[in-house]
């Protein structure tokens, strides 16, 4: 194989007990007597059939690709690496395994961002920077050791940092990506968890600004996703360490909470000189909090490349365009385009359902919701926005019949397909079996084109539901919701844990399904741009989080967006090059101008 090619075998997908080794039998070098695709050796304990490995020295490379085509489980990838990758990888996990090229460079007193798809090596990079994983420079059979690694990075931005890692002088605080797993590792209440981390003496300020006080005495098991996210951020920022890594700070947080978290991270970097590394898929928040940006690209699960640092604006715009200027590298055939448009013309279709005034209270005055009477129209996408803890998910559950209102009749006599906010699909079955049990359209040309492909389901069809990552579960849950036959489709926070490209594809899939199937869809989400692209009308919730909520009747997009963002005192502008939404700095000239004009999002 050429020096710029690699072979990757996904051992979780390789299932020799269900095939006849087509890859090995049809391999051209094998058929001439060479040992290109061979067997790894049988597992004597479990008696499992032998999986394969591929000799990269003998393999003909991507120009052949016969093994890739013949494998019935999509377990093999033969990839021609970009010719610009002249250096050895920072780390490779083994033969036919994932390789990472490049590392991010944390800097004291600055926030470094990483932008890229899931499965591209960001976690590997952080493990190296934390000293948990010794980089092998691609020499997986015999690791070179830290001295040689330091020599390899001499003269780069990472030289001093790698030296400190080698000496064990770097302490790390890390916020995990999937905060819903925290209750599995900690048994106690919020106060007990946070007081263990209060090394800087800043806990009281963090609790107040992140609005955690109401849940301080609650068990971690009882917290919502948004509450867990804020607790995880507070626990991380309360630590006193050299290096802070925060993996996705925005899932389950509303716009106001996202801005607050971004400001806390920036303050810690600027006022105390800490090194901050943030992985984030909300471009508006990443733009707001980062000083420099690394773009990550490659083939998820096969190899990843982390670029040298770029300015935040240029890095985001280059990522969206699919072309990296300094690297002279095309990382995507088509750009991710943000449409700058006036609010979508309001539809005036017949009412699918009219609902009366609804009220719902929990416990002894713990929380109360009041919903104004309104209607959901046929063939529209209704967006639902508002702060966390204000009753949006409660409203969805009232409509679906999962909750009974205290006042009003919510029996809509409708077939409703519901994707809940927190996806817990743990049935002991494979993805393809799960989805095929929902719809008789599974595997049809339409289903494959309009649902499976945009949601990137092909490569996870034969995985078990319990083995999926958070982002994979989210995509399966969206597909399951859209695949069911219903009068009303309700999706609660479909953007959570999806990367930028996956969010764009999911948005298009939902909108196209609504238009082509004349479906009525209700979407609850904190991603403002997703709501803007999807919705025909907007329903705004306000009130006092965790105390009382009020839901107004559906209204035109411009009116709804202005009401919602005015409550948060946040305005958006458009990037001149890509038209992507960007948050204005508070009290900037543009922020003041848009507020005075009452145009918080659709600025002229």
């Amino acid at each position: 194989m050429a020096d710029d090619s690699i072979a990757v075998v996904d051992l979780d997908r390789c299932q020799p007990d269900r095939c006849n080794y087509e890859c090995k039998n049809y391999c051209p070098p094998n058929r001439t007597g060479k040992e290109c695709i061979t067997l790894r050796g049988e597992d004597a304990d479990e008696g499992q059939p032998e999986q394969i490995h591929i000799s990269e020295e003998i393999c003909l490379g991507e120009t052949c690709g016969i093994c890739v085509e013949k494998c019935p489980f999509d377990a093999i990838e033969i990839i021609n690496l970009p010719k610009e990758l002249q250096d050895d990888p920072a780390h490779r996990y083994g033969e036919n395994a994932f390789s990472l090229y490049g590392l991010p460079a944390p800097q004291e007193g600055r926030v470094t961002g990483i932008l890229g798809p899931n499965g591209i090596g960001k976690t590997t990079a952080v493990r190296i920077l934390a000293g948990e994983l010794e980089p092998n420079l691609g020499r997986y059979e015999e690791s070179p050791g830290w001295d040689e690694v330091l020599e390899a990075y001499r003269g780069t931005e990472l030289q001093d940092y790698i030296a400190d890692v080698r000496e064990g002088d770097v302490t790390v605080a890390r916020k995990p990506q999937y905060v819903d797993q925290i209750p599995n590792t900690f048994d106690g209440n919020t106060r007990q968890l946070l007081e263990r981390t209060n090394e800087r003496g800043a806990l009281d300020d963090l609790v107040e600004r992140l609005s955690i006080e109401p849940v301080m005495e609650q068990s971690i098991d009882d917290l919502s996703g948004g509450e867990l996210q804020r607790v995880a951020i507070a626990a991380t920022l309360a630590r006193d360490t050299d290096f802070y890594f925060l993996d996705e700070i925005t899932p389950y947080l509303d716009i106001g909470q996202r801005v607050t978290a971004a400001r806390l991270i920036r303050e810690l970097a600027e006022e105390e000189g800490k090194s901050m590394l943030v992985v984030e898929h909300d471009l508006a928040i990443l733009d707001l909090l980062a000083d420099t940006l690394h773009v990550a690209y490659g083939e998820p699960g096969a190899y990843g490349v982390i670029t040298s640092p770029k300015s935040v604006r240029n890095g985001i715009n280059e990522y969206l365009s699919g072309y990296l200027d300094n690297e002279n590298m095309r990382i995507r055939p088509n750009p991710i385009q943000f449409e700058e448009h006036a609010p979508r013309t309001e539809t005036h279709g017949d009412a699918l359902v009219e609902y009366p005034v609804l009220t719902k209270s929990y416990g002894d005055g713990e929380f109360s919701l009041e919903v104004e009477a309104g209607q959901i129209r046929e063939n529209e996408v209704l967006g639902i926005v508002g702060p966390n803890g204000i009753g949006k998910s409660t409203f969805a559950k009232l409509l679906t019949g999962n909750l009974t209102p205290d006042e009003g009749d919510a029996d809509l006599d409708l077939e409703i397909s519901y994707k809940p906010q927190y996806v817990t699909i743990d049935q002991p079955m494979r993805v393809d079996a799960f989805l095929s049990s929902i719809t008789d359209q599974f595997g049809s040309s339409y289903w494959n084109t309009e649902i499976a492909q945009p949601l990137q389901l092909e490569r996870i069809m034969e995985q078990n539901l319990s083995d999926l990552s958070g982002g994979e579960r989210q995509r399966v849950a969206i597909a399951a919701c859209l695949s069911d036959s219903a009068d009303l489709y309700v999706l609660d926070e479909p953007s959570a844990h999806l990367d930028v490209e996956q969010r764009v594809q999911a948005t298009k899939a939902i909108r196209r399904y609504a238009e082509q199937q004349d479906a009525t869809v209700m979407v609850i989400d904190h991603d403002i741009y997703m709501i803007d692209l999807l919705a025909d009308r907007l329903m705004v919730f306000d009130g006092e989080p965790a105390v009382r909520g009020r839901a107004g009747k559906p209204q035109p997009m411009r009116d709804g967006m202005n009401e919602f963002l005015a409550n948060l005192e946040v305005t958006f502008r458009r990037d001149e090059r890509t038209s992507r939404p960007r948050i204005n700095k508070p009290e900037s000239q543009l922020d003041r101008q848009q507020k005075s004009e009452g145009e918080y999002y659709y600025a002229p």
Side-chain angles (χ1 to χ4, degrees):
M1 184 184 291
D3 291 339
D4 57 354
S5 297
I6 60 172
V8 179
V9 178
D10 187 338
L11 297 180
D12 291 331
R13 301 177 64 84
C14 180
Q15 302 181 49
D17 56 328
R18 298 177 57 206
C19 75
N20 294 313
Y21 291 114
E22 285 89 345
C23 59
K24 179 175 179 290
N25 295 332
Y26 283 93
C27 172
N30 276 34
R31 299 181 75 170
T32 62
K34 298 179 181 178
E35 294 188 344
C36 179
I37 299 181
T38 55
L39 305 183
R40 290 177 177 262
E42 187 157 357
D43 188 325
D45 293 333
E46 299 182 7
Q48 296 295 323
E50 302 173 63
Q51 293 179 304
I52 62 139
H53 66 77
I54 301 173
S55 169
E56 293 180 344
E57 289 75 20
I58 300 174
C59 179
L60 300 178
E62 196 171 331
T63 54
C64 170
I66 290 177
C67 59
V68 177
E69 294 297 325
K70 292 295 182 181
C71 177
F73 309 113
D74 293 327
I76 301 173
E77 289 188 84
I78 307 295
I79 299 168
N80 286 339
L81 295 175
K83 294 181 180 179
E84 290 75 9
L85 291 181
Q86 302 294 334
D87 297 331
D88 293 328
H91 191 77
R92 190 170 191 186
Y93 281 99
E95 186 177 29
N96 303 154
F98 181 85
S99 300
L100 175 66
Y101 293 81
L103 290 171
Q107 295 178 304
E108 290 185 5
R110 294 172 71 81
V111 180
T112 302
I114 302 181
L115 174 61
N118 292 323
I120 213 74
K122 299 186 288 289
T123 300
T124 297
V126 170
R127 290 187 63 205
I128 292 173
L129 296 177
E132 298 173 4
L133 179 66
E134 184 177 308
N136 59 26
L137 307 180
R139 288 147 51 186
Y140 50 85
E141 293 181 342
E142 184 177 349
S143 181
W146 278 111
D147 288 342
E148 200 167 334
V149 170
L150 179 59
E151 185 62 31
Y153 285 94
R154 193 172 301 281
T156 71
E157 304 98 327
L158 275 166
Q159 177 181 337
D160 292 340
Y161 189 91
I162 292 291
D164 288 339
V165 172
R166 181 189 63 173
E167 298 300 324
D169 292 336
V170 175
T171 56
V172 180
R174 178 185 302 178
K175 189 205 80 67
Q177 180 179 16
Y178 300 118
V179 295
D180 52 352
Q181 301 299 313
I182 294 176
N184 297 334
T185 60
F186 180 82
D187 184 19
N189 65 26
T190 303
R191 184 178 302 279
Q192 290 169 330
L193 186 151
L194 290 178
E195 288 182 347
R196 291 170 49 181
T197 67
N198 190 22
E199 298 169 358
R200 296 193 302 113
L203 185 58
D204 290 344
D205 181 58
L206 291 169
V207 167
E208 179 182 356
R209 293 177 63 180
L210 289 168
S211 303
I212 299 173
E213 184 61 43
V215 300
M216 286 294 283
E217 307 306 326
Q218 288 188 25
S219 168
I220 290 294
D221 290 332
D222 297 333
L223 300 188
S224 69
E227 291 163 347
L228 281 171
Q229 187 72 271
R230 284 176 283 149
V231 168
I233 292 170
T236 305
L237 300 185
R239 299 278 308 281
D240 186 11
T241 62
D242 304 306
F243 172 48
Y244 295 77
F245 171 62
L246 298 105
D247 196 347
E248 292 192 40
I249 64 170
T250 62
Y252 310 125
L253 298 189
D254 62 46
I255 292 294
Q257 293 166 345
R258 294 178 184 198
V259 172
T260 296
R263 289 173 180 163
L264 286 170
I265 292 167
R266 285 210 57 82
E267 289 172 12
L268 185 54
E270 293 172 350
E271 296 175 8
E272 300 199 25
K274 301 294 187 179
S275 297
M276 320 292 291
L277 183 65
V278 180
V279 173
E280 184 50 59
H281 300 304
D282 184 321
L283 298 183
I285 295 300
L286 186 61
D287 191 16
L288 187 66
L289 69 84
D291 295 297
T292 60
L293 183 71
H294 295 269
V295 174
Y297 66 94
E299 291 286 341
Y303 80 97
V305 182
I306 296 179
T307 69
S308 298
K310 302 174 180 288
S311 73
V312 177
R313 182 171 182 267
N314 287 342
I316 292 176
N317 288 348
E318 288 178 21
Y319 179 78
L320 294 175
S321 73
Y323 179 76
L324 306 179
D325 292 342
N326 291 343
E327 291 78 8
N328 189 27
M329 170 68 63
R330 178 153 295 284
I331 61 174
R332 191 186 314 105
N334 299 306
I336 296 174
Q337 296 179 326
F338 288 80
E339 301 173 17
E340 183 174 5
H341 62 83
R344 187 174 284 110
T345 302
E346 183 181 358
T347 60
H348 294 280
D350 295 334
L352 174 71
V353 63
E354 296 191 17
Y355 53 87
V357 170
L358 301 172
T359 63
K360 178 66 180 178
S361 298
Y362 291 95
D364 185 16
E366 292 179 11
F367 175 77
S368 62
L369 171 67
E370 180 176 339
V371 181
E372 288 187 33
Q375 64 174 219
I376 302 172
R377 296 172 181 163
E378 292 182 351
N379 311 331
E380 79 167 340
V381 178
L382 178 63
I384 309 289
V385 295
N388 274 332
I390 211 71
K392 301 185 301 298
S393 295
T394 296
F395 175 64
K397 292 174 182 177
L398 290 173
L399 294 184
T400 60
N402 292 339
L403 283 177
T404 302
D406 301 330
E407 177 186 347
D409 183 4
D411 185 3
L412 304 183
D413 192 26
L414 296 175
E415 292 292 330
I416 297 178
S417 180
Y418 177 49
K419 187 207 82 67
Q421 181 179 18
Y422 307 117
V423 179
T424 55
I425 44 177
D426 290 326
Q427 293 95 325
M429 61 193 307
R430 294 189 341 181
V431 172
D432 52 2
F434 171 67
L435 292 174
S436 63
S437 70
I438 295 172
T439 176
D440 56 10
Q441 291 292 312
F442 179 80
S444 68
S445 175
Y446 172 83
W447 192 90
N448 286 334
T449 301
E450 300 299 335
I451 294 180
Q453 290 179 13
L455 294 173
Q456 302 174 9
L457 299 180
E458 296 90 338
R459 288 191 58 82
I460 62 173
M461 281 294 186
E462 296 185 352
Q463 293 189 34
N464 290 321
L465 292 169
S466 57
D467 295 333
L468 300 181
S469 69
E472 290 167 342
R473 291 186 183 199
Q474 188 70 263
R475 282 146 46 205
V476 169
I478 295 170
C481 180
L482 297 181
S483 297
D484 204 359
S485 178
D487 301 308
L488 175 64
Y489 296 84
V490 180
L491 296 105
D492 196 344
E493 199 151 352
S495 72
H497 299 307
L498 300 186
D499 62 40
V500 175
E501 295 181 56
Q502 291 166 348
R503 291 183 188 196
V504 171
Q505 292 299 323
T507 300
K508 290 180 179 179
I510 296 168
R511 183 71 205 183
R512 282 172 62 88
Y513 184 85
E515 292 174 346
Q516 294 185 5
Q517 300 298 308
D518 292 330
T520 301
V521 181
M522 192 171 80
V523 177
I524 304 168
D525 210 284
H526 297 301
D527 188 310
I528 290 295
Y529 189 69
M530 174 178 263
I531 288 290
D532 178 34
L533 280 187
L534 279 172
D536 298 295
R537 292 192 301 159
L538 207 58
M539 190 171 176
V540 179
F541 282 64
D542 59 20
E544 185 178 352
V547 178
R548 58 178 177 80
R550 184 194 69 85
K553 62 181 61 178
Q555 56 185 308
M557 287 297 294
R558 171 173 263 123
D559 296 340
M561 203 69 95
N562 284 336
E563 177 185 340
F564 172 53
L565 293 177
N567 292 337
L568 297 173
E569 298 185 339
V570 174
T571 61
F572 283 78
R573 69 189 185 281
R574 295 282 181 170
D575 184 82
E576 295 176 358
R577 178 176 165 188
T578 64
S579 295
R580 63 182 170 87
R582 305 179 68 188
I583 298 175
N584 291 321
K585 291 184 178 180
E587 296 304 313
S588 66
Q589 180 180 351
L590 198 53
D591 180 62
R592 294 197 304 271
Q593 177 183 336
Q594 287 182 220
K595 286 177 179 176
S596 68
E597 295 172 350
E599 293 289 357
Y600 286 74
Y601 188 82
Y602 299 108

